[in-house]
Amino acid sequence: MKKITLSLFVFLVHMTCQAQNFSLVPLGIYGGEQEDNLSSYLVGTPEDSTFICLDAGTVNTGIRKAIQLKSLHGTTETVLRDQIKGYFVSHGHLDHLAGLIINSPADSKKDIYAMSPVLQIMQNHYFINDTWINFADQGQKPILGKYHYNELREGKEIPASQTPFYLTAYELSHVNPYKSSAVLVRNNTHYLLYLGDTGADRIENSDRLNNLWTTIAPLVRKKQLHTILIEVSFPNSQPEKQLFGHLTPNLLVEELEKLKEKTGQKNLENLHVVVTHRKPTGDNPEIIKKELLDNNPLKIQYIFPEQGKKIILP
């Protein structure tokens, strides 16, 4: 009993001493089917109530759920209009931006951050009269100008307006040659990495993930990057020819092994990996969770988010 108590004490001291640089409020966690729970994550700091929204598949329902759980404070309207200061959109699929579009009439002026192909999709296919109306500041007339498009260029950091964060985007492959993207979020000298949909390099015939691992490896080694949000859409039973640009637990481990080669095993043992975009079909979410926990040679600290439940991160 004393040994267990001492171990728990050491763990609590470790968590207390570790600086808390980011807070995460999942507004939506799944990768399809449940339109009220699609990919969307508010990133803030533990001491502040301003956020940038990483993807925006579900917004309104997620805010209401988070308020119920006391992860957010205020009304749904004030959180949407006043606390969310901008959106990063990883790619143009609806499960990553439908909430932004649907809630645009009730939203306030703010920024949208995305790479050029994503901005083109929004400008040419969504914020147009045939599908909605143009709430952005470029594209089809009439232009309402509520949202300002900020183009992210690969590897070039820019500030996220009205937040303490700085953003750097990187291309991903999501059924090559279709492009998705990741964003590195900096708060002072600490970082969080969020990936939109991505396939494994081996499946995609791509080097996008390898390039990303090369970029972030020094930050992991220097203990400046503690958290990665990355998708695992299907369980291992999904045939590789039917992944549609997504990952399985085995493919995630395959990719993280490549990161280990650049960082060393020890530096990954306290890495927090938030598992996003699980497809909610049947028991898939629980199967994916079990497969990741049962095969964890790198001793990753996996986190399985719940809609509306706040997560404090180093």
Side-chain angles (χ1 to χ4, degrees):
M1 177 65 87
K2 289 182 179 179
K3 185 176 180 181
I4 295 173
T5 304
L6 180 60
S7 298
L8 179 59
F9 174 76
V10 170
F11 173 76
L12 291 173
V13 168
H14 170 74
M15 292 303 294
T16 302
C17 293
Q18 198 169 30
Q20 297 174 332
N21 297 290
F22 296 97
S23 65
L24 186 70
V25 181
L27 301 185
I29 66 169
Y30 290 132
E33 299 177 37
Q34 293 191 17
E35 68 268 19
D36 61 349
N37 197 358
L38 298 171
S39 295
S40 183
Y41 295 86
L42 295 185
V43 174
T45 62
E47 68 277 359
D48 198 4
S49 60
T50 60
F51 302 94
I52 186 157
C53 194
L54 305 180
D55 279 331
T58 293
V59 174
N60 190 287
T61 303
I63 292 173
R64 285 188 275 115
K65 181 73 171 178
I67 291 172
Q68 290 172 8
L69 294 176
K70 303 190 184 306
S71 298
L72 295 172
H73 302 283
T75 65
T76 306
E77 292 76 15
T78 58
V79 172
L80 174 68
R81 294 178 58 84
D82 303 333
Q83 296 181 31
I84 299 176
K85 300 300 183 182
Y87 301 92
F88 165 77
V89 181
S90 66
H91 63 293
H93 289 162
L94 277 170
D95 58 332
H96 292 257
L97 54 75
L100 188 164
I101 296 166
I102 292 296
N103 285 280
S104 54
D107 208 349
S108 58
K109 288 179 72 74
K110 58 193 58 166
D111 294 298
I112 293 174
Y113 304 91
M115 300 190 81
S116 178
V118 183
L119 294 181
Q120 290 300 314
I121 290 169
M122 297 183 72
Q123 184 173 314
N124 295 334
H125 298 288
Y126 292 125
F127 282 138
I128 61 174
N129 292 328
D130 284 345
T131 57
W132 205 237
I133 194 168
N134 188 5
F135 282 90
D137 59 354
Q138 297 177 47
Q140 188 180 100
K141 294 180 180 179
I143 295 173
L144 300 186
K146 180 177 286 188
Y147 296 125
H148 173 58
Y149 287 141
N150 287 268
E151 181 182 345
L152 297 174
R153 299 180 183 273
E154 180 150 16
K156 303 295 183 183
E157 183 181 79
I158 69 169
S161 178
Q162 302 183 68
T163 78
F165 302 129
Y166 293 79
L167 308 178
T168 310
Y170 299 92
E171 281 189 0
L172 299 172
S173 182
H174 181 37
V175 187
N176 198 359
Y178 185 82
K179 294 176 180 178
S180 178
S181 56
V183 66
L184 191 61
V185 182
R186 178 169 69 85
N187 175 23
N188 294 318
T189 60
H190 293 274
Y191 296 81
L192 173 148
L193 178 66
Y194 173 82
L195 290 82
D197 290 356
T198 182
D201 280 352
R202 176 172 60 82
I203 309 297
E204 295 284 308
N205 296 311
S206 168
D207 59 0
R208 291 298 178 187
L209 283 175
N210 186 64
N211 292 343
L212 184 59
W213 303 149
T214 300
T215 297
I216 69 166
L219 301 176
V220 175
R221 290 196 301 268
K222 290 186 287 188
K223 311 298 184 187
Q224 291 179 280
L225 191 156
H226 301 278
T227 303
I228 296 175
L229 287 82
I230 188 168
E231 68 123 289
V232 181
S233 296
F234 296 107
N236 291 325
S237 59
Q238 186 80 0
E240 289 188 350
K241 291 183 178 180
Q242 297 177 26
L243 290 175
F244 313 110
H246 294 295
L247 295 175
T248 63
N250 283 346
L251 288 173
L252 175 60
V253 173
E254 181 179 311
E255 287 296 338
L256 292 177
E257 288 277 1
K258 297 176 186 176
L259 178 59
K260 183 199 74 172
E261 293 171 5
K262 304 173 191 296
T263 65
Q265 167 69 43
K266 197 67 178 175
N267 289 314
L268 289 189
E269 290 184 2
N270 288 315
L271 183 69
H272 296 74
V273 172
V274 180
V275 180
T276 67
H277 207 267
R278 287 177 289 172
K279 297 285 188 179
T281 307
D283 295 328
N284 279 359
E286 287 305 311
I287 295 171
I288 291 168
K289 179 178 180 178
K290 185 177 188 305
E291 289 177 341
L292 285 169
L293 295 178
D294 287 350
N295 178 31
N296 188 13
L298 302 178
K299 300 180 181 178
I300 297 295
Q301 305 295 314
Y302 286 115
I303 297 172
F304 300 91
E306 300 175 37
Q307 186 180 36
K309 190 171 181 179
K310 187 180 223 178
I311 305 167
I312 301 297
L313 295 164

